[in-house]
Amino acid sequence: METIEYGGGGRNMEIRGSVPPDQDQDHALVTGPAAYEGVWRFTAPAIEESVPQARHAVRDLLNRQGVPAQDDIVQGLLLIVSELVTNSVRHAALLSPEVAVEVAIGREWVRVAVEDNHPYRPKALEADFGQTGGRGLLLVREITYEAGGVCDVEHTAGGGKVIWAALPLTSPPTARSAP
């Protein structure tokens, strides 16, 4: 178990993490988990300052663990973290004074999840080019799908929600155009 603190002024974010047990025991006996694999979770107050703190904490975690992710995947993942934490801060803070961020890293993928206690399950809005906001989940969905990943929104046992996105560590091959 490791503990790392981010922030200041009495508003700290604490990351707690460990390497999870491998679910495929036969595979684990042969190769074992990669050194970078594990699950980390941190909570932060549902305030605007937590958005860059969460993004930096995830970036630093990926670097510290030596995750072999392509730069475009990391940049997309950090944008996803920013969008999801921003949504929790803006739309759920009244019912959820804290937001939780979980990062799970597997051999070939990384999953980020943002959880709050607000019961409303948002849906990705269609692009309305006349609006200046309200497209965060649409952006999350598009970044995730473009990277070859998956995302979803689920209810938690406590009545809140968790929004997650899982991306492969390498970008999918781009389609070649016909000559």
Side-chain angles (χ1 to χ4, degrees):
M1 178 75 75
E2 67 176 313
T3 302
I4 299 169
E5 292 191 16
Y6 281 84
R11 292 188 170 126
N12 288 332
M13 192 175 344
E14 184 177 71
I15 298 177
R16 296 184 178 272
S18 62
V19 176
D22 195 301
Q23 294 179 3
D24 182 0
Q25 294 299 324
D26 292 334
H27 181 70
L29 292 174
V30 176
T31 62
Y36 56 83
E37 290 182 78
V39 178
W40 294 264
R41 183 177 175 89
F42 56 91
T43 58
I47 57 174
E48 299 250 345
E49 290 85 359
S50 294
V51 176
Q53 286 180 354
R55 186 178 56 252
H56 293 260
V58 171
R59 182 201 60 209
D60 292 350
L61 173 67
L62 296 174
N63 288 336
R64 189 176 64 253
Q65 291 304 114
V67 177
Q70 292 180 336
D71 188 57
D72 59 333
I73 296 295
V74 171
Q75 294 309 313
L77 190 70
L78 296 178
L79 183 54
I80 288 169
V81 168
S82 291
E83 288 294 332
L84 296 181
V85 174
T86 296
N87 283 352
S88 285
V89 166
R90 287 189 180 161
H91 305 295
L94 186 61
L95 296 177
S96 186
E98 279 193 339
V99 59
V101 178
E102 184 175 275
V103 181
I105 306 167
R107 185 173 299 279
E108 298 176 0
W109 52 269
V110 60
R111 178 185 187 263
V112 292
V114 175
E115 180 180 338
D116 61 51
N117 291 324
H118 197 290
Y120 175 67
R121 181 183 165 138
K123 295 182 180 183
L125 302 176
E126 294 301 319
D128 177 352
F129 297 105
Q131 289 185 322
T132 58
R135 290 181 248 160
L137 288 179
L138 179 65
L139 180 61
V140 167
R141 185 181 72 194
E142 293 305 313
I143 291 169
T144 301
Y145 293 164
E146 185 175 305
V150 293
C151 59
D152 202 1
V153 180
E154 299 172 356
H155 289 288
T156 63
K161 68 182 167 304
V162 60
I163 304 175
W164 59 268
L167 281 65
L169 295 179
T170 58
S171 298
T174 56
R176 293 186 179 170
S177 40

